[in-house]
Amino acid sequence: MRVADTGEFGLIARVTARLPGGRACLLGPGDDAAVVAAPDGRVAASTDVLVEGRHFRRDWSSARDVGHRAAAANLADIAAMGAVPTALLVAFCAPPNLDVRWAEELADGLAAEAALVDASVVGGDMSASPTLTIAVTALGDLGGRAPVVRSGARPGDVVAVNGRLGFAAAGYTVLSRGFRTPKLLVEAFRRPEVPYFAGPEAARFGATSMIDISDGLLADLGHIAAASDVVIDVQRELFTVPGQIRDAALALSVNPFDWILGGGDDHALAATFPADVALPAGWVVIGTVSDGPAGVTVDGRPYRGAGGWDHFK
């Protein structure tokens, strides 16, 4: 059955029936607007969009995979502010001949990823479009804490990461070369494993700045460096190159650090902390913050490889 056969409201009914409410959802889909609890009195909000052919391919990823990715990209941004995700709003634009099952499985993926943090899809919109597009807005609760912003890094801080780096980029390279293994890397591209709870915990431990690694470690650290007017130096000797990354890089003639330093889509978190702070579990120091012209260096020098993803290049 095509989405054109169900009609807009028939499709809405089929999709929303697959979306359970979360703890913060006071009123879910069905009215002109949802109602979401905001105990803190402030709401963290972020929006991201996935466009077929640009961000995903249906021959590489299932609809459920795309749902997980679309939710993760937004929920990670909320975690990077030190907030706890509470709800998602989803805009879905699809060709009229799209199979209804694809839309239903997309909803399943969105709901499953949101459930990892006890959030829910509370509403959205649908439209016909020649290009399959999923736009997601995430909401979150700061729990009484100040948001952890990009402009807070200070000279003397250490730089640390939590989560996987380079796995999704390696998976993308594997898929783009026509392979489907190693499964670990391909699945990392299809469904990122995001350390959601590390964001609020880092805020409690005194993180001075934080960011979600979506476009590449060096590119995203560059946003912190620019906003904080500092130099961030990343030291390669502080990284452990996982065996699967090393083996895939050797087989594909790729420098593994091109994936680790320049690859995005894993949605790890990077943060700066005062040097005297005992870091919470899961955080690994990878560099330092110092005075100087704002920018990012690797081992004290400008990095010659690609530092990350630019949507318009």
Side-chain angles (χ1 to χ4, degrees), residues 42-96:
R42 299 168 297 169
V43 176
S46 180
T47 296
D48 209 302
V49 63
L50 271 68
V51 178
E52 183 176 21
R54 185 66 172 171
H55 302 99
F56 68 92
R57 286 173 45 171
R58 277 185 274 171
D59 58 331
W60 285 5
S61 302
S62 70
R64 189 182 289 266
D65 292 333
V66 176
H68 276 274
R69 283 191 67 202
N74 289 273
L75 297 170
D77 283 334
I78 299 300
M81 298 300 293
V84 175
T86 55
L88 297 175
L89 295 160
V90 181
F92 177 63
C93 304

mmCIF file of all heavy atoms in Angstrom, residues 42-96:
data_model
loop_
_atom_site.group_PDB
_atom_site.id
_atom_site.type_symbol
_atom_site.label_atom_id
_atom_site.label_comp_id
_atom_site.label_asym_id
_atom_site.label_seq_id
_atom_site.Cartn_x
_atom_site.Cartn_y
_atom_site.Cartn_z
ATOM 1 N N ARG A 42 12.577 25.895 31.914
ATOM 2 C CA ARG A 42 13.290 26.216 30.677
ATOM 3 C C ARG A 42 13.281 24.959 29.810
ATOM 4 O O ARG A 42 13.260 23.846 30.323
ATOM 5 C CB ARG A 42 14.745 26.623 30.961
ATOM 6 C CG ARG A 42 14.886 27.868 31.848
ATOM 7 C CD ARG A 42 16.336 28.010 32.307
ATOM 8 N NE ARG A 42 16.730 26.872 33.132
ATOM 9 C CZ ARG A 42 17.997 26.618 33.507
ATOM 10 N NH1 ARG A 42 18.974 27.397 33.096
ATOM 11 N NH2 ARG A 42 18.268 25.572 34.273
ATOM 12 N N VAL A 43 13.328 25.140 28.506
ATOM 13 C CA VAL A 43 13.317 24.007 27.591
ATOM 14 C C VAL A 43 14.511 24.119 26.645
ATOM 15 O O VAL A 43 14.687 25.141 25.979
ATOM 16 C CB VAL A 43 12.013 23.960 26.768
ATOM 17 C CG1 VAL A 43 12.066 22.828 25.751
ATOM 18 C CG2 VAL A 43 10.806 23.785 27.679
ATOM 19 N N ALA A 44 15.332 23.081 26.606
ATOM 20 C CA ALA A 44 16.381 22.993 25.591
ATOM 21 C C ALA A 44 15.745 22.460 24.319
ATOM 22 O O ALA A 44 14.944 21.527 24.364
ATOM 23 C CB ALA A 44 17.494 22.062 26.066
ATOM 24 N N ALA A 45 16.062 23.050 23.174
ATOM 25 C CA ALA A 45 15.432 22.650 21.911
ATOM 26 C C ALA A 45 16.471 22.612 20.799
ATOM 27 O O ALA A 45 17.378 23.445 20.751
ATOM 28 C CB ALA A 45 14.313 23.620 21.543
ATOM 29 N N SER A 46 16.339 21.621 19.900
ATOM 30 C CA SER A 46 17.262 21.486 18.783
ATOM 31 C C SER A 46 16.543 20.843 17.611
ATOM 32 O O SER A 46 15.641 20.030 17.805
ATOM 33 C CB SER A 46 18.467 20.627 19.183
ATOM 34 O OG SER A 46 19.373 20.481 18.104
ATOM 35 N N THR A 47 16.934 21.189 16.393
ATOM 36 C CA THR A 47 16.324 20.638 15.186
ATOM 37 C C THR A 47 17.396 20.118 14.245
ATOM 38 O O THR A 47 18.473 20.721 14.115
ATOM 39 C CB THR A 47 15.492 21.706 14.452
ATOM 40 O OG1 THR A 47 14.404 22.107 15.279
ATOM 41 C CG2 THR A 47 14.933 21.160 13.154
ATOM 42 N N ASP A 48 17.090 18.993 13.603
ATOM 43 C CA ASP A 48 17.997 18.421 12.611
ATOM 44 C C ASP A 48 17.140 17.841 11.492
ATOM 45 O O ASP A 48 15.973 17.509 11.705
ATOM 46 C CB ASP A 48 18.860 17.331 13.243
ATOM 47 C CG ASP A 48 20.213 17.198 12.553
ATOM 48 O OD1 ASP A 48 20.243 16.958 11.343
ATOM 49 O OD2 ASP A 48 21.231 17.322 13.238
ATOM 50 N N VAL A 49 17.730 17.704 10.317
ATOM 51 C CA VAL A 49 16.970 17.202 9.175
ATOM 52 C C VAL A 49 17.785 16.144 8.438
ATOM 53 O O VAL A 49 19.015 16.259 8.323
ATOM 54 C CB VAL A 49 16.578 18.359 8.221
ATOM 55 C CG1 VAL A 49 17.802 19.020 7.623
ATOM 56 C CG2 VAL A 49 15.642 17.871 7.127
ATOM 57 N N LEU A 50 17.125 15.088 7.980
ATOM 58 C CA LEU A 50 17.745 14.054 7.169
ATOM 59 C C LEU A 50 17.055 14.029 5.812
ATOM 60 O O LEU A 50 15.827 13.924 5.726
ATOM 61 C CB LEU A 50 17.612 12.675 7.829
ATOM 62 C CG LEU A 50 18.722 12.249 8.792
ATOM 63 C CD1 LEU A 50 18.688 13.108 10.055
ATOM 64 C CD2 LEU A 50 18.580 10.770 9.164
ATOM 65 N N VAL A 51 17.851 14.130 4.747
ATOM 66 C CA VAL A 51 17.344 14.158 3.382
ATOM 67 C C VAL A 51 17.876 12.939 2.634
ATOM 68 O O VAL A 51 19.083 12.676 2.645
ATOM 69 C CB VAL A 51 17.777 15.450 2.662
ATOM 70 C CG1 VAL A 51 17.285 15.464 1.219
ATOM 71 C CG2 VAL A 51 17.285 16.677 3.421
ATOM 72 N N GLU A 52 16.962 12.210 1.988
ATOM 73 C CA GLU A 52 17.398 11.030 1.251
ATOM 74 C C GLU A 52 18.378 11.432 0.152
ATOM 75 O O GLU A 52 18.199 12.423 -0.555
ATOM 76 C CB GLU A 52 16.197 10.310 0.626
ATOM 77 C CG GLU A 52 16.610 9.028 -0.087
ATOM 78 C CD GLU A 52 15.444 8.228 -0.646
ATOM 79 O OE1 GLU A 52 14.358 8.822 -0.854
ATOM 80 O OE2 GLU A 52 15.626 7.027 -0.878
ATOM 81 N N GLY A 53 19.438 10.647 0.030
ATOM 82 C CA GLY A 53 20.468 10.927 -0.965
ATOM 83 C C GLY A 53 21.578 11.804 -0.434
ATOM 84 O O GLY A 53 22.680 11.822 -0.993
ATOM 85 N N ARG A 54 21.291 12.528 0.642
ATOM 86 C CA ARG A 54 22.290 13.379 1.276
ATOM 87 C C ARG A 54 22.731 12.788 2.614
ATOM 88 O O ARG A 54 23.913 12.756 2.934
ATOM 89 C CB ARG A 54 21.720 14.789 1.485
ATOM 90 C CG ARG A 54 22.723 15.805 2.041
ATOM 91 C CD ARG A 54 23.837 16.086 1.052
ATOM 92 N NE ARG A 54 24.678 17.188 1.504
ATOM 93 C CZ ARG A 54 25.824 17.533 0.917
ATOM 94 N NH1 ARG A 54 26.240 16.882 -0.148
ATOM 95 N NH2 ARG A 54 26.530 18.535 1.382
ATOM 96 N N HIS A 55 21.769 12.334 3.398
ATOM 97 C CA HIS A 55 22.061 11.814 4.735
ATOM 98 C C HIS A 55 21.819 10.316 4.874
ATOM 99 O O HIS A 55 22.325 9.696 5.803
ATOM 100 C CB HIS A 55 21.218 12.543 5.785
ATOM 101 C CG HIS A 55 21.434 14.022 5.804
ATOM 102 N ND1 HIS A 55 20.577 14.900 5.179
ATOM 103 C CD2 HIS A 55 22.412 14.771 6.358
ATOM 104 C CE1 HIS A 55 21.016 16.135 5.364
ATOM 105 N NE2 HIS A 55 22.125 16.086 6.061
ATOM 106 N N PHE A 56 21.013 9.747 4.008
ATOM 107 C CA PHE A 56 20.757 8.311 4.073
ATOM 108 C C PHE A 56 20.360 7.781 2.706
ATOM 109 O O PHE A 56 19.941 8.542 1.835
ATOM 110 C CB PHE A 56 19.657 7.986 5.104
ATOM 111 C CG PHE A 56 18.283 8.468 4.726
ATOM 112 C CD1 PHE A 56 17.400 7.644 4.022
ATOM 113 C CD2 PHE A 56 17.847 9.751 5.069
ATOM 114 C CE1 PHE A 56 16.134 8.089 3.668
ATOM 115 C CE2 PHE A 56 16.586 10.203 4.719
ATOM 116 C CZ PHE A 56 15.723 9.363 4.017
ATOM 117 N N ARG A 57 20.531 6.467 2.544
ATOM 118 C CA ARG A 57 20.115 5.782 1.339
ATOM 119 C C ARG A 57 19.287 4.567 1.744
ATOM 120 O O ARG A 57 19.678 3.815 2.644
ATOM 121 C CB ARG A 57 21.339 5.331 0.520
ATOM 122 C CG ARG A 57 22.041 6.447 -0.182
ATOM 123 C CD ARG A 57 23.344 6.019 -0.841
ATOM 124 N NE ARG A 57 23.243 4.748 -1.580
ATOM 125 C CZ ARG A 57 24.219 4.290 -2.375
ATOM 126 N NH1 ARG A 57 25.338 5.004 -2.536
ATOM 127 N NH2 ARG A 57 24.089 3.133 -2.987
ATOM 128 N N ARG A 58 18.170 4.368 1.059
ATOM 129 C CA ARG A 58 17.292 3.256 1.425
ATOM 130 C C ARG A 58 17.886 1.898 1.077
ATOM 131 O O ARG A 58 17.475 0.885 1.643
ATOM 132 C CB ARG A 58 15.919 3.432 0.782
ATOM 133 C CG ARG A 58 15.013 4.360 1.577
ATOM 134 C CD ARG A 58 13.630 4.404 0.976
ATOM 135 N NE ARG A 58 13.521 5.389 -0.092
ATOM 136 C CZ ARG A 58 12.478 5.522 -0.894
ATOM 137 N NH1 ARG A 58 11.449 4.699 -0.752
ATOM 138 N NH2 ARG A 58 12.455 6.449 -1.826
ATOM 139 N N ASP A 59 18.865 1.854 0.168
ATOM 140 C CA ASP A 59 19.520 0.578 -0.119
ATOM 141 C C ASP A 59 20.628 0.272 0.889
ATOM 142 O O ASP A 59 21.166 -0.839 0.898
ATOM 143 C CB ASP A 59 20.080 0.558 -1.551
ATOM 144 C CG ASP A 59 21.073 1.675 -1.812
ATOM 145 O OD1 ASP A 59 20.960 2.750 -1.171
ATOM 146 O OD2 ASP A 59 21.969 1.493 -2.654
ATOM 147 N N TRP A 60 20.965 1.239 1.728
ATOM 148 C CA TRP A 60 21.961 1.024 2.786
ATOM 149 C C TRP A 60 21.312 0.823 4.151
ATOM 150 O O TRP A 60 21.867 0.133 5.000
ATOM 151 C CB TRP A 60 22.897 2.232 2.881
ATOM 152 C CG TRP A 60 23.903 2.343 1.794
ATOM 153 C CD1 TRP A 60 24.036 1.560 0.686
ATOM 154 C CD2 TRP A 60 24.945 3.327 1.716
ATOM 155 N NE1 TRP A 60 25.085 1.992 -0.080
ATOM 156 C CE2 TRP A 60 25.665 3.078 0.523
ATOM 157 C CE3 TRP A 60 25.327 4.397 2.517
ATOM 158 C CZ2 TRP A 60 26.753 3.844 0.135
ATOM 159 C CZ3 TRP A 60 26.419 5.166 2.133
ATOM 160 C CH2 TRP A 60 27.121 4.895 0.946
ATOM 161 N N SER A 61 20.197 1.458 4.384
ATOM 162 C CA SER A 61 19.588 1.478 5.714
ATOM 163 C C SER A 61 18.098 1.170 5.621
ATOM 164 O O SER A 61 17.421 1.608 4.681
ATOM 165 C CB SER A 61 19.768 2.855 6.368
ATOM 166 O OG SER A 61 21.135 3.205 6.481
ATOM 167 N N SER A 62 17.591 0.445 6.604
ATOM 168 C CA SER A 62 16.152 0.200 6.687
ATOM 169 C C SER A 62 15.455 1.447 7.209
ATOM 170 O O SER A 62 16.088 2.372 7.733
ATOM 171 C CB SER A 62 15.879 -0.971 7.630
ATOM 172 O OG SER A 62 16.168 -0.603 8.975
ATOM 173 N N ALA A 63 14.138 1.477 7.088
ATOM 174 C CA ALA A 63 13.371 2.604 7.626
ATOM 175 C C ALA A 63 13.576 2.717 9.135
ATOM 176 O O ALA A 63 13.687 3.820 9.679
ATOM 177 C CB ALA A 63 11.890 2.416 7.301
ATOM 178 N N ARG A 64 13.640 1.573 9.812
ATOM 179 C CA ARG A 64 13.858 1.598 11.255
ATOM 180 C C ARG A 64 15.229 2.198 11.583
ATOM 181 O O ARG A 64 15.370 2.981 12.525
ATOM 182 C CB ARG A 64 13.740 0.183 11.829
ATOM 183 C CG ARG A 64 13.747 0.131 13.351
ATOM 184 C CD ARG A 64 13.683 -1.315 13.810
ATOM 185 N NE ARG A 64 12.376 -1.899 13.571
ATOM 186 C CZ ARG A 64 11.418 -1.923 14.491
ATOM 187 N NH1 ARG A 64 11.631 -1.403 15.688
ATOM 188 N NH2 ARG A 64 10.258 -2.477 14.215
ATOM 189 N N ASP A 65 16.247 1.845 10.779
ATOM 190 C CA ASP A 65 17.573 2.439 10.965
ATOM 191 C C ASP A 65 17.510 3.962 10.844
ATOM 192 O O ASP A 65 18.088 4.696 11.652
ATOM 193 C CB ASP A 65 18.556 1.916 9.911
ATOM 194 C CG ASP A 65 18.898 0.454 10.067
ATOM 195 O OD1 ASP A 65 18.832 -0.071 11.193
ATOM 196 O OD2 ASP A 65 19.249 -0.180 9.047
ATOM 197 N N VAL A 66 16.818 4.437 9.803
ATOM 198 C CA VAL A 66 16.728 5.884 9.581
ATOM 199 C C VAL A 66 16.016 6.553 10.746
ATOM 200 O O VAL A 66 16.394 7.650 11.176
ATOM 201 C CB VAL A 66 16.011 6.180 8.244
ATOM 202 C CG1 VAL A 66 15.825 7.685 8.057
ATOM 203 C CG2 VAL A 66 16.805 5.600 7.075
ATOM 204 N N GLY A 67 14.988 5.901 11.296
ATOM 205 C CA GLY A 67 14.313 6.448 12.459
ATOM 206 C C GLY A 67 15.247 6.584 13.655
ATOM 207 O O GLY A 67 15.252 7.607 14.348
ATOM 208 N N HIS A 68 16.044 5.544 13.899
ATOM 209 C CA HIS A 68 17.015 5.617 14.996
ATOM 210 C C HIS A 68 17.994 6.768 14.768
ATOM 211 O O HIS A 68 18.289 7.547 15.687
ATOM 212 C CB HIS A 68 17.791 4.296 15.093
ATOM 213 C CG HIS A 68 17.090 3.233 15.874
ATOM 214 N ND1 HIS A 68 17.188 3.126 17.238
ATOM 215 C CD2 HIS A 68 16.281 2.223 15.474
ATOM 216 C CE1 HIS A 68 16.474 2.092 17.654
ATOM 217 N NE2 HIS A 68 15.905 1.527 16.603
ATOM 218 N N ARG A 69 18.509 6.891 13.547
ATOM 219 C CA ARG A 69 19.490 7.946 13.249
ATOM 220 C C ARG A 69 18.885 9.336 13.400
ATOM 221 O O ARG A 69 19.516 10.245 13.944
ATOM 222 C CB ARG A 69 20.031 7.785 11.828
ATOM 223 C CG ARG A 69 21.052 6.684 11.658
ATOM 224 C CD ARG A 69 21.727 6.776 10.301
ATOM 225 N NE ARG A 69 22.534 7.973 10.196
ATOM 226 C CZ ARG A 69 22.891 8.539 9.054
ATOM 227 N NH1 ARG A 69 22.469 8.035 7.901
ATOM 228 N NH2 ARG A 69 23.654 9.611 9.036
ATOM 229 N N ALA A 70 17.661 9.503 12.895
ATOM 230 C CA ALA A 70 17.026 10.820 12.961
ATOM 231 C C ALA A 70 16.790 11.241 14.397
ATOM 232 O O ALA A 70 17.010 12.407 14.769
ATOM 233 C CB ALA A 70 15.704 10.794 12.191
ATOM 234 N N ALA A 71 16.346 10.299 15.226
ATOM 235 C CA ALA A 71 16.133 10.624 16.641
ATOM 236 C C ALA A 71 17.451 10.886 17.341
ATOM 237 O O ALA A 71 17.595 11.851 18.102
ATOM 238 C CB ALA A 71 15.379 9.492 17.320
ATOM 239 N N ALA A 72 18.450 10.039 17.083
ATOM 240 C CA ALA A 72 19.728 10.150 17.775
ATOM 241 C C ALA A 72 20.415 11.492 17.498
ATOM 242 O O ALA A 72 21.003 12.105 18.399
ATOM 243 C CB ALA A 72 20.647 9.007 17.365
ATOM 244 N N ALA A 73 20.345 11.952 16.254
ATOM 245 C CA ALA A 73 21.004 13.210 15.898
ATOM 246 C C ALA A 73 20.483 14.371 16.733
ATOM 247 O O ALA A 73 21.246 15.298 17.079
ATOM 248 C CB ALA A 73 20.796 13.501 14.414
ATOM 249 N N ASN A 74 19.208 14.335 17.084
ATOM 250 C CA ASN A 74 18.608 15.417 17.861
ATOM 251 C C ASN A 74 18.731 15.205 19.360
ATOM 252 O O ASN A 74 19.019 16.139 20.116
ATOM 253 C CB ASN A 74 17.135 15.556 17.476
ATOM 254 C CG ASN A 74 16.966 16.135 16.088
ATOM 255 O OD1 ASN A 74 16.935 17.339 15.911
ATOM 256 N ND2 ASN A 74 16.908 15.274 15.087
ATOM 257 N N LEU A 75 18.518 13.984 19.809
ATOM 258 C CA LEU A 75 18.639 13.701 21.235
ATOM 259 C C LEU A 75 20.064 13.953 21.721
ATOM 260 O O LEU A 75 20.278 14.402 22.850
ATOM 261 C CB LEU A 75 18.234 12.250 21.507
ATOM 262 C CG LEU A 75 16.775 11.892 21.193
ATOM 263 C CD1 LEU A 75 16.570 10.380 21.282
ATOM 264 C CD2 LEU A 75 15.813 12.616 22.131
ATOM 265 N N ALA A 76 21.058 13.680 20.865
ATOM 266 C CA ALA A 76 22.444 13.925 21.238
ATOM 267 C C ALA A 76 22.711 15.411 21.461
ATOM 268 O O ALA A 76 23.486 15.792 22.346
ATOM 269 C CB ALA A 76 23.381 13.374 20.166
ATOM 270 N N ASP A 77 22.078 16.267 20.654
ATOM 271 C CA ASP A 77 22.254 17.712 20.842
ATOM 272 C C ASP A 77 21.716 18.162 22.201
ATOM 273 O O ASP A 77 22.298 19.043 22.841
ATOM 274 C CB ASP A 77 21.525 18.475 19.733
ATOM 275 C CG ASP A 77 22.271 18.451 18.411
ATOM 276 O OD1 ASP A 77 23.498 18.303 18.429
ATOM 277 O OD2 ASP A 77 21.615 18.579 17.365
ATOM 278 N N ILE A 78 20.607 17.571 22.619
ATOM 279 C CA ILE A 78 20.056 17.920 23.935
ATOM 280 C C ILE A 78 21.007 17.473 25.034
ATOM 281 O O ILE A 78 21.288 18.219 25.984
ATOM 282 C CB ILE A 78 18.671 17.267 24.108
ATOM 283 C CG1 ILE A 78 17.697 17.781 23.042
ATOM 284 C CG2 ILE A 78 18.133 17.528 25.514
ATOM 285 C CD1 ILE A 78 17.459 19.273 23.049
ATOM 286 N N ALA A 79 21.527 16.253 24.923
ATOM 287 C CA ALA A 79 22.473 15.752 25.919
ATOM 288 C C ALA A 79 23.716 16.629 25.984
ATOM 289 O O ALA A 79 24.287 16.847 27.063
ATOM 290 C CB ALA A 79 22.855 14.312 25.597
ATOM 291 N N ALA A 80 24.155 17.149 24.828
ATOM 292 C CA ALA A 80 25.358 17.982 24.786
ATOM 293 C C ALA A 80 25.165 19.318 25.493
ATOM 294 O O ALA A 80 26.153 19.995 25.808
ATOM 295 C CB ALA A 80 25.772 18.220 23.337
ATOM 296 N N MET A 81 23.936 19.714 25.749
ATOM 297 C CA MET A 81 23.676 20.917 26.537
ATOM 298 C C MET A 81 23.625 20.614 28.035
ATOM 299 O O MET A 81 23.412 21.508 28.852
ATOM 300 C CB MET A 81 22.346 21.544 26.106
ATOM 301 C CG MET A 81 22.304 22.002 24.660
ATOM 302 S SD MET A 81 23.550 23.251 24.280
ATOM 303 C CE MET A 81 22.970 24.632 25.253
ATOM 304 N N GLY A 82 23.797 19.328 28.385
ATOM 305 C CA GLY A 82 23.682 18.929 29.784
ATOM 306 C C GLY A 82 22.257 18.671 30.201
ATOM 307 O O GLY A 82 21.958 18.558 31.394
ATOM 308 N N ALA A 83 21.359 18.560 29.220
ATOM 309 C CA ALA A 83 19.934 18.379 29.509
ATOM 310 C C ALA A 83 19.511 16.935 29.283
ATOM 311 O O ALA A 83 20.213 16.148 28.642
ATOM 312 C CB ALA A 83 19.095 19.311 28.637
ATOM 313 N N VAL A 84 18.351 16.602 29.808
ATOM 314 C CA VAL A 84 17.762 15.275 29.636
ATOM 315 C C VAL A 84 16.664 15.377 28.581
ATOM 316 O O VAL A 84 15.724 16.164 28.733
ATOM 317 C CB VAL A 84 17.171 14.757 30.963
ATOM 318 C CG1 VAL A 84 16.461 13.429 30.759
ATOM 319 C CG2 VAL A 84 18.262 14.621 32.019
ATOM 320 N N PRO A 85 16.748 14.602 27.494
ATOM 321 C CA PRO A 85 15.715 14.683 26.452
ATOM 322 C C PRO A 85 14.340 14.284 26.982
ATOM 323 O O PRO A 85 14.222 13.367 27.803
ATOM 324 C CB PRO A 85 16.205 13.688 25.396
ATOM 325 C CG PRO A 85 17.674 13.542 25.647
ATOM 326 C CD PRO A 85 17.830 13.673 27.132
ATOM 327 N N THR A 86 13.307 14.982 26.493
ATOM 328 C CA THR A 86 11.947 14.689 26.945
ATOM 329 C C THR A 86 10.998 14.343 25.799
ATOM 330 O O THR A 86 10.093 13.531 25.974
ATOM 331 C CB THR A 86 11.351 15.873 27.712
ATOM 332 O OG1 THR A 86 11.422 17.057 26.881
ATOM 333 C CG2 THR A 86 12.119 16.134 29.006
ATOM 334 N N ALA A 87 11.165 14.963 24.618
ATOM 335 C CA ALA A 87 10.181 14.767 23.559
ATOM 336 C C ALA A 87 10.770 15.074 22.188
ATOM 337 O O ALA A 87 11.755 15.816 22.074
ATOM 338 C CB ALA A 87 8.962 15.654 23.804
ATOM 339 N N LEU A 88 10.137 14.498 21.162
ATOM 340 C CA LEU A 88 10.499 14.758 19.775
ATOM 341 C C LEU A 88 9.257 15.185 18.995
ATOM 342 O O LEU A 88 8.161 14.658 19.217
ATOM 343 C CB LEU A 88 11.069 13.503 19.106
ATOM 344 C CG LEU A 88 12.367 12.922 19.651
ATOM 345 C CD1 LEU A 88 12.689 11.618 18.926
ATOM 346 C CD2 LEU A 88 13.511 13.904 19.498
ATOM 347 N N LEU A 89 9.437 16.130 18.083
ATOM 348 C CA LEU A 89 8.429 16.505 17.087
ATOM 349 C C LEU A 89 9.018 16.167 15.727
ATOM 350 O O LEU A 89 10.177 16.499 15.446
ATOM 351 C CB LEU A 89 8.109 17.990 17.174
ATOM 352 C CG LEU A 89 7.443 18.456 18.480
ATOM 353 C CD1 LEU A 89 7.624 19.950 18.667
ATOM 354 C CD2 LEU A 89 5.967 18.097 18.456
ATOM 355 N N VAL A 90 8.245 15.507 14.869
ATOM 356 C CA VAL A 90 8.773 14.992 13.611
ATOM 357 C C VAL A 90 7.959 15.498 12.429
ATOM 358 O O VAL A 90 6.731 15.351 12.404
ATOM 359 C CB VAL A 90 8.766 13.451 13.602
ATOM 360 C CG1 VAL A 90 9.335 12.926 12.286
ATOM 361 C CG2 VAL A 90 9.574 12.901 14.784
ATOM 362 N N ALA A 91 8.631 16.101 11.462
ATOM 363 C CA ALA A 91 8.016 16.463 10.184
ATOM 364 C C ALA A 91 8.475 15.449 9.146
ATOM 365 O O ALA A 91 9.676 15.197 9.001
ATOM 366 C CB ALA A 91 8.419 17.873 9.771
ATOM 367 N N PHE A 92 7.509 14.864 8.426
ATOM 368 C CA PHE A 92 7.794 13.775 7.502
ATOM 369 C C PHE A 92 7.269 14.150 6.125
ATOM 370 O O PHE A 92 6.062 14.377 5.952
ATOM 371 C CB PHE A 92 7.117 12.496 8.008
ATOM 372 C CG PHE A 92 7.271 11.297 7.110
ATOM 373 C CD1 PHE A 92 8.514 10.755 6.856
ATOM 374 C CD2 PHE A 92 6.152 10.708 6.531
ATOM 375 C CE1 PHE A 92 8.651 9.654 6.037
ATOM 376 C CE2 PHE A 92 6.279 9.594 5.711
ATOM 377 C CZ PHE A 92 7.540 9.066 5.461
ATOM 378 N N CYS A 93 8.162 14.237 5.142
ATOM 379 C CA CYS A 93 7.783 14.585 3.773
ATOM 380 C C CYS A 93 8.191 13.421 2.873
ATOM 381 O O CYS A 93 9.359 13.005 2.889
ATOM 382 C CB CYS A 93 8.483 15.865 3.320
ATOM 383 S SG CYS A 93 8.178 17.280 4.403
ATOM 384 N N ALA A 94 7.243 12.915 2.088
ATOM 385 C CA ALA A 94 7.514 11.693 1.328
ATOM 386 C C ALA A 94 6.833 11.708 -0.026
ATOM 387 O O ALA A 94 5.774 12.314 -0.206
ATOM 388 C CB ALA A 94 7.025 10.482 2.126
ATOM 389 N N PRO A 95 7.405 10.999 -0.999
ATOM 390 C CA PRO A 95 6.727 10.827 -2.285
ATOM 391 C C PRO A 95 5.428 10.046 -2.090
ATOM 392 O O PRO A 95 5.373 9.118 -1.275
ATOM 393 C CB PRO A 95 7.737 10.011 -3.111
ATOM 394 C CG PRO A 95 9.054 10.195 -2.425
ATOM 395 C CD PRO A 95 8.743 10.361 -0.971
ATOM 396 N N PRO A 96 4.379 10.365 -2.807
ATOM 397 C CA PRO A 96 3.090 9.676 -2.630
ATOM 398 C C PRO A 96 3.150 8.175 -2.880
ATOM 399 O O PRO A 96 2.306 7.427 -2.379
ATOM 400 C CB PRO A 96 2.175 10.369 -3.643
ATOM 401 C CG PRO A 96 2.780 11.724 -3.832
ATOM 402 C CD PRO A 96 4.264 11.512 -3.738
#
